[in-house]
Amino acid sequence: MGTMREIHQLDPLPQHVAIIMDGNGRWAQQRHRPRLFGHKAGADSVREAVETAREVGIRHLTLYAFSTENWQRPGLEVKGLMSLLKNYLQSELDTMQQNGVRLECFGQKDRFPDEVRNMLDKVIAETRECSKLRLNLCLSYGSRAEMIRAVQEISRKCADGELRPKDIDDQTFNDHLYSTGQPDPDLLIRTSGEQRLSNFLLWQLSYAELYFTEIPWPEFRRDQFLAALEKYAGRQRRFGKTGAQIETVHA
Ligand code: FPP
């Protein structure tokens, strides 16, 4: 399938890719099908994204699967998403273990129905030793809520004398986010045409390359993922330095 050529074009490869999986609903509606039909197709894209990330050697994949605002969707859609999520976790556990995929949840896990949360806890626990790819599912996640939670915890430590305000730095803040211990995303992908961050990883995406595509999430499969990685490989990242400085560093 030309894998060699494709992988050759993926250098440098991002260590960490974050994805806003948008457009399931519109994709389904265009086909005169219920929104849940789009989410089901979207779950297949999730499987393919995880498999592709693992295949090419990406180490961290963070997927925005359910935002704090998504609770406000019609009850039937929320219920459908819950059961999709539970089925996904149930059916993927073996594959994750075989493929070295470690699951992590970013977000308010406690807000999920018991059966979903129990399944999440089980998969998280049973993939703890897996080390090829870290799959972070953002569930009932919002970046501002994540940062406020970090500030509350840091403040508590200051009040208790565990931490001095003047010692708070980037590292301290990182240590109190869901993503603690993982590198920041190098690349953010958002599908389906919208060009917004929508309260996703606002701190962690500070230096990320942004990639927007018109393709709806249910159609974002291996080839589309590889195209995004090729585009990333073609861009030069400067971290606020000049191109010449970067050339020197990498020389
Ligand atoms: C955005 O599409 C997508 C979501 C809100 C949910 C994402 C869920 C999945 C990809 C499937 C289940 C997830 C897993 C991990 C198995 P939208 O409904 O906002 O689309 P629209 O903008 O076209 O309405």
Side-chain angles (χ1 to χ4, degrees):
M1 272 209 299
T3 305
M4 288 306 287
R5 186 181 59 85
E6 282 153 1
I7 288 176
H8 176 70
Q9 292 166 350
L10 302 183
D11 180 30
L13 186 72
Q15 266 198 91
H16 185 169
V17 177
I19 309 183
I20 301 178
M21 310 183 288
D22 199 7
N24 293 346
R26 277 165 288 168
W27 180 85
Q29 276 159 353
Q30 277 162 12
R31 282 156 186 76
H32 308 288
R33 303 295 298 266
R35 295 175 57 83
L36 209 54
F37 178 73
H39 294 315
K40 278 188 188 141
D44 292 336
S45 291
V46 169
R47 281 189 189 89
E48 202 158 318
V50 173
E51 176 50 33
T52 305
R54 198 193 58 88
E55 176 200 344
V56 302
I58 288 165
R59 303 301 304 270
H60 306 257
L61 179 66
T62 302
L63 303 178
Y64 207 176
F66 197 87
S67 72
T68 45
E69 287 75 29
N70 285 154
W71 291 112
Q72 292 158 32
R73 291 198 175 193
L76 215 58
E77 184 174 345
V78 171
K79 235 178 142 188
L81 279 166
M82 293 301 130
S83 89
L84 255 183
L85 181 62
K86 187 169 154 262
N87 291 343
Y88 174 82
L89 295 168
Q90 210 155 19
S91 66
E92 291 306 293
L93 176 56
D94 283 353
T95 314
M96 284 186 193
Q97 286 176 320
Q98 278 156 24
N99 291 345
V101 178
R102 175 177 173 182
L103 184 78
E104 201 66 67
C105 172
F106 291 2
Q108 305 158 329
K109 212 169 43 164
D110 294 347
R111 287 185 71 178
F112 285 84
D114 285 350
E115 49 180 30
V116 177
R117 200 184 52 248
N118 292 341
M119 186 55 69
L120 265 170
D121 285 338
K122 176 178 154 83
V123 179
I124 291 169
E126 294 186 11
T127 60
R128 187 155 286 147
E129 303 301 322
C130 297
S131 60
K132 217 167 165 216
L133 171 69
R134 287 190 70 160
L135 172 62
N136 307 307
L137 281 188
C138 299
L139 295 167
S140 192
Y141 174 84
S143 184
R144 289 184 176 182
E146 178 187 32
M147 289 195 275
I148 287 169
R149 178 178 165 271
V151 170
Q152 286 174 340
E153 186 61 11
I154 291 168
S155 308
R156 188 197 56 74
K157 287 184 181 170
C158 287
D160 291 352
E162 279 176 55
L163 197 62
R164 290 182 302 184
K166 71 180 180 66
D167 293 332
I168 297 169
D169 58 12
D170 279 24
Q171 186 61 48
T172 319
F173 201 69
N174 272 323
D175 289 345
H176 292 82
L177 298 174
Y178 294 119
S179 50
T180 176
Q182 301 194 49
D184 286 342
D186 309 288
L187 171 66
L188 169 78
I189 297 171
R190 182 169 187 152
T191 59
S192 206
E194 244 67 75
Q195 303 196 359
R196 291 193 285 270
L197 292 182
S198 301
N199 200 19
F200 186 50
L201 304 175
L202 300 179
W203 168 274
Q204 296 91 333
L205 289 172
S206 294
Y207 294 98
E209 288 288 332
L210 307 181
Y211 178 89
F212 299 105
T213 171
E214 295 291 326
I215 298 166
W217 178 250
E219 289 176 13
F220 193 87
R221 298 293 165 99
R222 183 177 183 276
D223 282 355
Q224 289 71 28
F225 198 173
L226 292 177
L229 296 174
E230 276 176 25
K231 186 85 179 189
Y232 172 86
R235 292 184 191 172
Q236 188 192 37
R237 300 177 74 211
R238 291 202 290 268
F239 299 98
K241 297 180 178 155
T242 68
Q245 283 175 304
I246 295 292
E247 293 293 321
T248 317
V249 171
H250 291 305

